[in-house]
Amino acid sequence: SGELHDSEFVLYDPNHELCRTMLELGRKMKAALGSGMTLKAERNRRKALEGADFVFLSINVGGFKAHLQDIEIPRAYGILQSVGDTVGPGGVFRTLRFIPAVIDLCREMEQVCPKALLISYTNPMTSLIQAVSNYTKIRAVGMCHDYQKTVKDVEELLNDRFDFSYAGLNHCVWLLDIKKKGRSVYPALFSYIKKNRIPRHMLVKFDVLKNFGYMPAAGEKHVAEFFPYYLRKEVDYKKKWKLELRQDALKAMMKEREAEYRQIIRQVKGTEELKDIEVPSREEGIKVIECLLTGRSGVFNINMPNRGAIPNMPPDAVLETPVKVSASGFKTQCGEKIPENVYWNTLSHSIKLKMAVEAAVEGSRAKAFRALISDPACVDLSAAEKMLDRMIKLQPAFLGKLK
């Protein structure tokens, strides 16, 4: 970023060894790009936050081990999950685990950088922004690139560019309309269903479109968890919907991360060249900062409190919508109601996640249980009770405060 070349970027991680490694990588990238940015790493989080204008949040409380438990324990009670980080039991447990850590961070921000904007790349996106907005004085937005992938898929399928209107929850945001020169192209998508020409990588999304009249814009694995009948044991989810359980994928991801880390070590040592460092990632937080600091404006996919923009959703519900960002701040560009066909799904998941946030903040086991049994994946009250007890025993450092 040309506008940010003279900024200071401070890294912090509880594992300082990893933090130093990334600092060394950053310095090599800086030299290769000719950037004037100052890079630092701090052992003390409070010192790292002092005077910050923007704070990026990218954390994994409990690591892969805890996430694997989010998947494996519900599976022992017959509940299958393809991701387990947003909705379903995994989403609830992850909310309970992450919220205290994020609130703690924001309390420190209130003291040393109260005007800073928190930009979160962390899931559960909806829950985290809900917690920060409702329980702290810190401004926060969540940014996710899942929506952009669906847009790309639709445009490649129809071989054109379109205007998209959308609103909903992170990982199940609804394409309210897709237009070309003012005309909806939804009929063209329905024709793929009629002709049985549905792309293999969009089977779930097209089936939701067929059943509810609107297409969700997120990855197939995420969407399936909002409608858990795609993940029933009696359904061959691999063959019929091309879905994979997160339990299997996580183990592969852990190996991939290990390989990535070894590559970073080689790059830091200079035994391997840096690659593609001039290619921007799909994360758009830097572009948002540029718009806030300059005279430019842009529209981005952002999760933030509704505040009346979507009239049939609660004002404090955290929604994912197109948002115009400029020096004046953030302004939601979609003012349409969530259609009745899918309103029930959006509202119920929103309320359930809010309840999980309250449970995490208050340390309320009763609210945690209610959030769990409010999810459509949980159909057995006794199993849900046992599931919650097992998770508290397995993760006492994170869930032991639930009373």
Side-chain angles (χ1 to χ4, degrees):
S1 169
E3 285 85 354
L4 302 178
H5 71 92
D6 59 350
S7 301
E8 180 181 73
F9 193 94
V10 184
L11 292 162
Y12 170 78
D13 192 284
N15 185 328
H16 192 66
E17 182 184 347
L18 293 179
C19 200
R20 290 291 306 181
T21 298
M22 296 311 295
L23 175 64
E24 293 305 316
L25 180 68
R27 284 173 173 168
K28 285 187 173 290
M29 294 171 69
K30 171 187 169 179
L33 293 169
S35 170
M37 180 177 281
T38 301
L39 300 177
K40 295 171 63 178
E42 290 287 355
R43 288 182 178 273
N44 182 279
R45 188 177 72 183
R46 185 184 183 91
K47 190 173 181 181
L49 290 168
E50 284 180 357
D53 298 301
F54 304 94
V55 176
F56 285 98
L57 178 70
S58 182
I59 63 174
N60 188 7
V61 179
F64 281 118
K65 179 182 177 181
H67 191 179
L68 198 56
Q69 291 169 343
D70 295 342
I71 308 301
E72 289 179 332
I73 300 308
R75 187 174 185 176
Y77 292 95
I79 298 174
L80 307 180
Q81 297 174 100
S82 44
V83 183
D85 70 358
T86 300
V87 293
V92 172
F93 293 134
R94 196 173 174 92
T95 293
L96 295 170
R97 192 166 67 249
F98 277 50
I99 294 302
V102 175
I103 294 291
D104 184 60
L105 167 70
C106 289
R107 292 284 177 253
E108 206 157 50
M109 288 177 64
E110 288 173 342
Q111 296 173 17
V112 299
C113 55
K115 295 183 179 180
L117 174 70
L118 181 71
I119 300 175
S120 176
Y121 289 147
T122 296
N123 292 322
M125 184 78 69
T126 303
S127 300
L128 296 189
I129 303 303
Q130 186 90 62
V132 175
S133 300
N134 284 9
Y135 294 96
T136 81
K137 298 177 182 178
I138 297 300
R139 295 180 304 143
V141 295
M143 301 194 69
C144 176
H145 56 242
D146 238 30
Y147 161 78
Q148 287 94 318
K149 178 65 169 62
T150 301
V151 167
K152 182 180 178 182
D153 286 342
V154 170
E155 291 185 334
E156 287 182 352
L157 184 66
L158 300 180
N159 195 30
D160 209 340
R161 300 292 297 274
F162 305 105
D163 296 318
F164 292 81
S165 174
Y166 63 95
L169 299 180
N170 178 236
H171 293 149
C172 192
V173 61
W174 296 101
L175 296 179
L176 305 181
D177 211 343
I178 310 166
K179 292 183 177 180
K180 179 71 175 182
K181 296 181 179 179
R183 296 184 63 180
S184 177
V185 298
Y186 253 132
L189 291 179
F190 277 105
S191 71
Y192 278 84
I193 298 173
K194 293 177 182 177
K195 297 175 183 177
N196 197 25
R197 294 175 54 207
I198 300 172
R200 287 169 59 86
H201 65 290
M202 299 178 75
L203 293 175
V204 174
K205 285 195 279 285
F206 265 94
D207 198 63
V208 173
L209 171 62
K210 180 183 73 174
N211 293 323
F212 295 99
Y214 293 90
M215 178 176 283
E220 295 278 281
K221 293 179 182 180
H222 283 301
V223 173
E225 292 185 332
F226 281 79
F227 303 90
Y229 34 75
Y230 291 109
L231 291 164
R232 291 177 298 148
K233 276 192 170 182
E234 58 269 31
V235 173
D236 191 342
Y237 51 86
K238 283 189 177 182
K239 184 176 181 181
K240 186 171 183 179
W241 303 113
K242 305 297 180 280
L243 293 172
E244 181 183 31
L245 298 186
R246 190 65 156 190
Q247 187 176 20
D248 302 322
L250 265 180
K251 294 173 183 177
M253 286 171 61
M254 291 166 75
K255 290 182 180 179
E256 288 172 9
R257 292 293 174 89
E258 289 173 6
E260 288 173 359
Y261 181 63
R262 289 194 296 270
Q263 182 185 43
I264 288 171
I265 294 297
R266 292 194 298 271
Q267 291 173 338
V268 167
K269 290 181 177 179
T271 58
E272 183 174 327
E273 292 184 4
L274 298 173
K275 298 176 183 177
D276 301 323
I277 60 173
E278 295 186 7
V279 179
S281 77
R282 291 185 292 170
E283 311 295 354
E284 296 186 316
I286 294 299
K287 295 179 182 178
V288 165
I289 291 175
E290 289 174 343
C291 289
L292 290 169
L293 296 181
T294 69
R296 297 201 307 273
S297 65
V299 177
F300 302 93
N301 181 50
I302 286 178
N303 292 264
M304 56 186 253
N306 180 29
R307 299 194 181 101
I310 307 300
N312 62 340
M313 287 294 291
D316 67 340
V318 171
L319 301 178
E320 184 167 301
T321 62
V323 175
K324 183 178 181 180
V325 182
S326 67
S328 301
F330 298 83
K331 186 174 182 180
T332 302
Q333 298 300 287
C334 177
E336 300 178 48
K337 291 182 178 181
I338 303 290
E340 287 188 2
N341 309 30
V342 294
Y343 177 60
W344 61 275
N345 187 277
T346 307
L347 182 63
S348 63
H349 278 295
S350 175
I351 293 171
K352 176 206 66 184
L353 291 174
K354 184 180 177 183
M355 195 184 308
V357 169
E358 291 174 358
V361 172
E362 299 170 15
S364 170
R365 187 189 183 285
K367 286 190 176 181
F369 178 67
R370 289 179 202 135
L372 202 57
I373 62 176
S374 296
D375 194 281
C378 294
V379 295
D380 186 327
L381 296 180
S382 176
E385 186 91 39
K386 294 173 183 176
M387 194 190 315
L388 181 57
D389 286 339
R390 282 190 66 182
M391 287 296 289
I392 291 173
K393 289 179 181 178
L394 283 170
Q395 300 182 10
F398 309 117
L399 307 183
K401 295 180 180 179
L402 294 175
K403 304 295 182 183

